[in-house]
């Protein structure tokens, strides 16, 4: 099985990447080097993660050690919600490029279909969700910027050579159709939450019909969300009896089975790990295949359980009811 997806425009997106959300900046430089030594070529980043400078330090160390060439890497980043007005898009992208110490993105996404009031980098960076965290009652401040306007401004990054491919995160089919119809520019990649408890089969089918590659974040399900109160320990996919039985049959870990299920559907995955020993494990997905009955059994685990839902966490944590999937 190939270990890359061909993206519209001819790029090769590695099917397994390293997610950097919630990884401590203090350990990231060495972790990036270890990941590249282990064989990773796909690193997924974002302004909002607050650790792009640390990723950049790791990338430079790996390049200086001759572990790979820049052209061997696939570096993804994302436009944050407070930079959706067209006049802010390029400056936001250039800041991430400086922090990552690279000249271009292989892929640059709109992070959420959520436009918030601009917060200058001099005021706070990364800006996060609150407009003013020091306010008596801090809250998000949504603004009326059509997603198509932001998407059109993103096209200029490609024209300027700052991004080789452009994509969107957390968009549904209606939004994909809307921005494509308004701008005549189809996203090269859609990144969404995807794991056996949230299979999103119709969304993947639509994207594959339209030539949109798909990347699944949180491919192991609940673990990143339990400490945030956005999932419970009882929702642990890696303890699911079906996953455990299939893992035993292949002499693989439950995590490898969950990742393989997505990869075998033609979906790239970006599992997060802070543990060097897990890096090789998450890459070791191409020496076995899940049978058709095993794939069907995992498909049947779908609970439509979305852990990363602004319709829930924005109101609970950021003082604004902001559903985007309803």
């Amino acid at each position: 099985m190939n270990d890359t997806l061909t993206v519209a425009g001819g790029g090769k997106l590695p099917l397994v990447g390293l997610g950097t959300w919630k990884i401590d900046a203090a350990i990231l430089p060495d972790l990036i080097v270890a990941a590249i030594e282990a064989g990773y070529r796909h690193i997924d980043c974002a302004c909002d993660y607050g650790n792009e400078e640390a990723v950049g330090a790791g990338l430079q160390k790996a390049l200086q050690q001759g572990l790979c060439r820049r052209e061997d890497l696939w570096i993804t980043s994302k436009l944050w919600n407070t930079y959706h007005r067209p006049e802010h898009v390029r400056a936001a992208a250039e800041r991430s490029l400086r922090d990552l110490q690279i000249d271009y993105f292989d892929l640059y996404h709109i992070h959420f279909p959520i436009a918030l009031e601009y917060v200058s980098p001099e005021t706070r960076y990364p800006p996060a969700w609150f407009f003013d965290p020091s306010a008596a009652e801090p809250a998000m401040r949504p603004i009326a910027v059509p997603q198509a306007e932001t998407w059109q401004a993103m096209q200029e990054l490609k024209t300027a050579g700052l991004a080789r491919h452009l994509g969107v995160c957390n968009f549904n089919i209606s939004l994909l159709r809307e921005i494509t119809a308004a701008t005549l520019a189809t996203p090269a990649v859609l990144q969404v939450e995807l794991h056996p408890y949230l299979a999103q089969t119709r969304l993947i089918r639509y994207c594959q019909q339209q030539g949109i590659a798909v990347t699944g974040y949180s491919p192991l399900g609940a673990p990143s969300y339990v400490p945030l109160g956005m999932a419970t320990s009882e929702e642990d996919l890696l303890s699911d009896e079906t996953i455990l039985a299939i893992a035993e049959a292949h002499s693989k870990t439950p995590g490898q089975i969950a990742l393989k299920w997505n990869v075998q559907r033609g979906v790239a995955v970006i599992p997060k790990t802070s543990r060097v020993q897990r890096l090789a494990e998450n890459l070791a997905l191409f020496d076995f295949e899940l049978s058709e009955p095993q794939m069907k059994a995992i498909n049947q685990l779908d609970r439509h359980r979305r852990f990363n839902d602004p319709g829930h966490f924005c109101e609970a944590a950021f003082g604004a009811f902001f559903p985007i999937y309803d």
Side-chain angles (χ1 to χ4, degrees):
M1 181 177 181
N2 291 332
D3 60 1
T4 61
L5 282 177
T6 299
V7 173
K12 298 290 186 180
L13 171 63
L15 276 164
V16 182
L18 176 66
T20 60
W21 179 49
K22 291 182 63 186
I23 297 183
D24 188 343
I27 68 169
L28 254 175
D30 289 340
L31 186 69
I32 294 295
V33 171
I36 291 173
E37 285 181 316
Y40 284 82
R41 296 295 181 265
H42 175 186
I43 311 296
D44 184 85
C45 314
C47 156
D48 186 55
Y49 301 166
N51 55 17
E52 287 191 321
E53 285 187 334
V55 173
L59 293 174
Q60 285 305 303
K61 187 181 295 188
L63 292 170
Q64 290 165 5
Q65 291 178 12
L67 299 178
C68 64
R69 303 170 301 167
R70 169 63 184 96
E71 54 266 34
D72 298 328
L73 297 171
W74 181 285
I75 309 300
T76 297
S77 187
K78 307 176 188 78
L79 179 80
W80 186 239
N81 304 339
T82 53
Y83 303 130
H84 275 220
R85 286 196 177 101
E87 62 266 28
H88 300 312
V89 169
R90 180 159 181 164
E94 289 176 338
R95 171 62 186 264
S96 281
L97 286 170
R98 287 196 302 272
D99 286 350
L100 291 166
Q101 299 185 53
I102 56 177
D103 296 325
Y104 66 90
F105 303 111
D106 296 274
L107 175 63
Y108 195 59
H109 283 297
I110 296 176
H111 201 150
F112 280 97
I114 297 174
L116 300 180
E117 188 60 75
Y118 176 68
V119 176
S120 73
E122 293 75 24
T123 299
R124 188 173 66 255
Y125 191 88
W129 293 84
F130 288 133
F131 177 70
D132 180 5
S134 64
E137 296 183 3
M140 295 165 50
R141 186 178 292 182
I143 56 174
V145 177
Q147 295 302 315
E149 287 188 12
T150 306
W151 183 237
Q152 185 64 58
M154 294 272 283
Q155 307 309 307
E156 298 175 14
L157 301 179
K158 191 172 179 181
T159 301
L162 301 181
R164 296 194 169 176
H165 304 87
L166 298 170
V168 295
C169 300
N170 303 299
F171 276 49
N172 60 23
I173 291 173
S174 293
L175 280 174
L176 290 172
R177 286 182 174 137
E178 178 183 325
I179 63 170
T180 298
T183 64
L184 302 180
T186 302
V189 182
L190 170 68
Q191 185 180 125
V192 288
E193 181 182 344
L194 285 174
H195 45 77
Y197 288 167
L198 183 67
Q200 303 216 66
T201 305
R202 292 193 298 182
L203 177 60
I204 293 171
R205 179 181 176 186
Y206 173 81
C207 287
Q208 291 176 341
Q209 287 182 343
Q210 300 300 314
I212 302 171
V214 179
T215 298
Y217 70 77
S218 300
L220 301 178
S224 292
Y225 300 100
V226 172
L228 301 175
M230 296 161 68
T232 68
S233 57
E234 288 74 25
E235 296 176 294
D236 182 13
L237 171 69
L238 304 186
S239 298
D240 189 284
E241 290 183 1
T242 297
I243 298 293
L244 289 170
I246 295 172
E248 183 176 3
H250 286 279
S251 299
K252 294 289 185 178
T253 67
Q256 287 173 312
I257 299 304
L259 297 175
K260 181 66 175 185
W261 169 78
N262 255 327
V263 166
Q264 203 162 308
R265 298 196 298 166
V267 171
V269 291
I270 46 172
K272 173 188 74 73
T273 183
S274 301
R275 298 167 58 185
V276 173
Q277 60 269 35
R278 281 283 171 83
L279 292 171
E281 176 185 311
N282 289 344
L283 274 182
L285 306 179
F286 302 98
D287 59 351
F288 73 105
E289 291 287 314
L290 299 175
S291 69
E292 186 175 338
Q294 288 170 337
M295 288 292 290
K296 184 177 180 180
I298 298 174
N299 291 342
Q300 291 173 343
L301 297 178
D302 189 12
R303 303 177 179 179
H304 308 288
R305 175 62 167 106
R306 190 185 306 278
F307 297 113
N308 190 10
D309 187 346
H312 294 302
F313 73 73
C314 283
E315 184 170 28
F318 304 117
F321 176 52
F322 209 105
I324 63 174
Y325 298 115
D326 301 79

